[in-house]
Amino acid sequence: MTRKILYIRNFASKVDVNTYNLQEIGFGKALVRKGYDCDIVYYTDESESHEQTIYTYRKNRLNIIWMPALKFLSNGIYLKVLKKSFLDKYDYIITTEYNQIMTYLLSILCKDKLILYHGPYRDNSKKLVQKVYDTFFRKTIARNVKYVFAKSKLAETYLRRKGFKKVQTLGVGLDTSRFESGELVDVSNEIKEKLDNISDKKVLLYVGKLEERRNIKFLFNVFYKLRKLNEDVSLLVVGDGKQDDLEAYFMYVKQLGIEHDINHIKKVSQEHLKYIYEKADVFLLPTKYDPFGMVLLESMYFGVPIVSSVNGGAVTIIDNEINGFIIETFDEDLWVNKISLLLGNESLRAQFSNNGKKNIRENFIWDVIAEKLLEKIHQERIK
């Protein structure tokens, strides 16, 4: 009989499966390659469920079940999933985040085969909701969940403080299939024009949403100071945001007088990402908070040295001063110094690049993550 895994994304928001950073799909493909059928539950605002097969390997399949849900704040409550006849079809069930109502309900209905895969390392911004949830549900979840995995070292510490036992950091993987396809993809005229503008300069790269949490003004301030020290440097910003935020950020850039040294691309498809990373000399991530940050995996995979703030992904994949820099404060001059050190030292950049690529290929590809998960589960079952 074919073994089956159900993977539930508990957030009640629609996703685009064509984007490059959906963790569930990368993980699901790896589980299929390990011999499991895997179903992923994603939220839909349609009235009826429907299924979509998106990947096959030998006799195994990865399906998406698009399912309507009751919505409560950011929680999705999938009534169909909660039926015994539905849950009985699966050998294991992966639930995302301990502080989602579905996790609580599943910890009662199918605790012996429930896997928690948790990413956040701070409490919900809605403090009262978080307090109520922890008061009434946390102990039951911590007691009942069979297997507990964290996406980062920070998330592991967070879960242990919440009373979870036997927590293990699993990490997050990278789906390299598009990167390694070998297909030549024509770059859009917009991207080609932007990349041509920076062909003779050292390139600092930021990829991600342009929002306050990502510390965008700090990024521009650091670049402003770097630009005063080194005219042979440019900043490539890849990412979109709310229109009001974008207008405010680039008005600020004009006030600093660095608008001609910054190239902005709102959106890059997955198949074009390699051209972006190949142009970069240093990747910057000064985010105030990020559960992981898939862009860090991508940067390391493509050999771009990283300078990052403390966040879930950074402390999990960066060995400080071995394959990147982690800076614990938002001291602009300290960031300028570290970035300048990398820009001016080709040998150090090569060291970070080689160590980073090795780290990703050995530890943070989805097939490696899936193998770790299944190995840990097997060890627990035979104890």
Side-chain angles (χ1 to χ4, degrees):
M1 180 179 291
T2 302
R3 299 170 297 176
K4 297 190 71 173
I5 291 178
L6 179 67
Y7 192 158
I8 307 169
R9 185 181 190 273
N10 288 320
F11 296 100
S13 57
K14 293 195 292 185
V15 298
D16 180 356
V17 298
N18 295 315
T19 59
Y20 62 89
N21 62 350
L22 288 176
Q23 297 175 14
E24 299 86 9
I25 290 179
F27 206 166
K29 286 180 179 178
L31 292 168
V32 166
R33 289 191 290 269
K34 296 297 180 184
Y36 287 82
D37 280 343
C38 185
D39 291 341
I40 299 172
V41 172
Y42 279 145
Y43 170 79
T44 181
D45 55 8
E46 298 177 14
S47 58
E48 298 293 332
S49 298
H50 62 279
E51 296 190 21
Q52 175 187 6
T53 299
I54 62 168
Y55 180 73
T56 59
Y57 181 78
R58 296 177 180 170
K59 294 182 179 180
N60 299 108
R61 298 187 304 170
L62 175 63
N63 297 321
I64 294 177
I65 305 175
W66 298 97
M67 190 178 293
L70 299 178
K71 297 178 71 172
F72 176 72
L73 300 176
S74 64
N75 290 248
I77 304 172
Y78 298 98
L79 298 181
K80 181 178 178 180
V81 170
L82 300 176
K83 295 179 180 179
K84 184 177 185 298
S85 59
F86 187 91
L87 295 173
D88 284 348
K89 295 185 295 183
Y90 299 97
D91 297 277
Y92 299 108
I93 295 164
I94 301 175
T95 181
T96 49
E97 325 310 0
Y98 96 87
N99 54 351
Q100 290 281 317
I101 293 175
M102 277 296 293
T103 299
Y104 169 71
L105 296 173
L106 291 168
S107 74
I108 296 172
L109 296 173
C110 57
K111 60 184 180 180
D112 289 336
K113 56 183 179 181
L114 187 62
I115 301 167
L116 172 62
Y117 185 39
H118 182 91
Y121 52 90
R122 292 181 185 172
D123 280 351
N124 193 307
S125 59
K126 298 177 177 62
K127 300 295 185 183
L128 180 58
V129 173
Q130 179 78 47
K131 186 174 181 179
V132 170
Y133 188 92
D134 280 354
T135 299
F136 290 100
F137 303 139
R138 175 180 54 82
K139 289 183 179 179
T140 298
I141 298 168
R143 181 175 63 249
N144 285 0
V145 173
K146 184 75 171 179
Y147 312 101
V148 184
F149 297 98
K151 294 182 180 180
S152 72
K153 294 177 182 177
L154 294 179
E156 177 181 338
T157 300
Y158 173 83
L159 286 176
R160 290 187 183 280
R161 289 202 307 265
K162 293 289 183 178
F164 287 83
K165 309 295 184 184
K166 298 182 180 179
V167 186
Q168 300 173 77
T169 295
L170 191 61
V172 170
L174 188 64
D175 183 356
T176 63
S177 57
R178 287 278 186 92
F179 304 146
E180 298 175 343
S181 66
E183 298 178 7
L184 295 176
V185 181
D186 291 333
V187 180
S188 69
N189 289 334
E190 179 196 9
I191 295 175
K192 187 174 182 180
E193 180 182 342
K194 298 290 186 183
L195 296 182
D196 286 345
N197 286 343
I198 57 178
S199 60
D200 59 344
K201 294 183 177 182
K202 292 282 182 21
V203 178
L204 305 176
L205 175 63
Y206 168 84
V207 179
K209 191 171 182 180
L210 275 65
E211 59 182 349
E212 196 277 335
R213 175 170 67 91
R214 300 301 179 97
N215 222 0
I216 301 302
K217 280 193 173 181
F218 175 85
L219 172 70
F220 291 151
N221 287 339
V222 168
F223 178 67
Y224 169 74
K225 290 188 174 183
L226 274 165
R227 188 68 180 77
K228 290 176 70 175
L229 295 173
N230 184 358
E231 294 184 356
D232 187 33
V233 63
S234 65
L235 175 63
L236 178 58
V237 176
V238 178
D240 205 351
K242 295 179 180 177
Q243 188 58 37
D244 289 347
D245 290 341
L246 294 179
E247 291 175 0
Y249 286 137
F250 287 100
M251 179 63 70
Y252 186 67
V253 163
K254 287 185 178 181
Q255 292 171 2
L256 293 175
I258 53 175
E259 67 270 24
H260 299 299
D261 303 300
I262 296 178
N263 289 279
H264 177 220
I265 304 172
K266 283 188 176 181
K267 191 173 183 179
V268 176
S269 60
Q270 183 179 4
E271 58 266 29
H272 290 156
L273 277 174
K274 61 181 178 180
Y275 301 109
I276 298 296
Y277 285 106
E278 284 172 356
K279 278 288 185 179
D281 294 281
V282 178
F283 184 86
L284 305 180
L285 188 66
T287 183
K288 297 176 182 177
Y289 174 75
D290 202 312
F292 202 88
M294 300 296 287
V295 290
L296 294 176
L297 294 172
E298 294 167 358
S299 298
M300 271 200 182
Y301 175 81
F302 285 107
V304 184
I306 297 169
V307 180
S308 176
S309 59
V310 175
N311 57 74
V315 302
T316 304
I317 72 171
I318 296 177
D319 190 356
N320 197 28
E321 301 188 2
I322 301 298
N323 58 19
F325 285 132
I326 300 177
I327 302 179
E328 296 185 358
T329 68
F330 293 111
D331 180 325
E332 293 174 7
D333 292 332
L334 182 56
W335 278 72
V336 169
N337 289 340
K338 292 296 186 183
I339 297 167
S340 296
L341 176 61
L342 275 172
L343 290 176
N345 190 329
E346 185 175 348
S347 176
L348 183 60
R349 291 203 308 276
Q351 173 193 319
F352 281 13
S353 175
N354 292 333
N355 291 342
K357 286 190 287 187
K358 184 174 185 288
N359 184 36
I360 296 302
R361 284 165 172 77
E362 291 182 355
N363 301 301
F364 295 101
I365 301 298
W366 277 122
D367 288 277
V368 176
I369 301 295
E371 185 64 35
K372 287 181 182 177
L373 174 83
L374 296 173
E375 182 180 331
K376 297 295 185 184
I377 288 175
H378 178 70
Q379 289 173 355
E380 287 294 321
R381 290 185 64 180
I382 63 177
K383 282 183 179 179

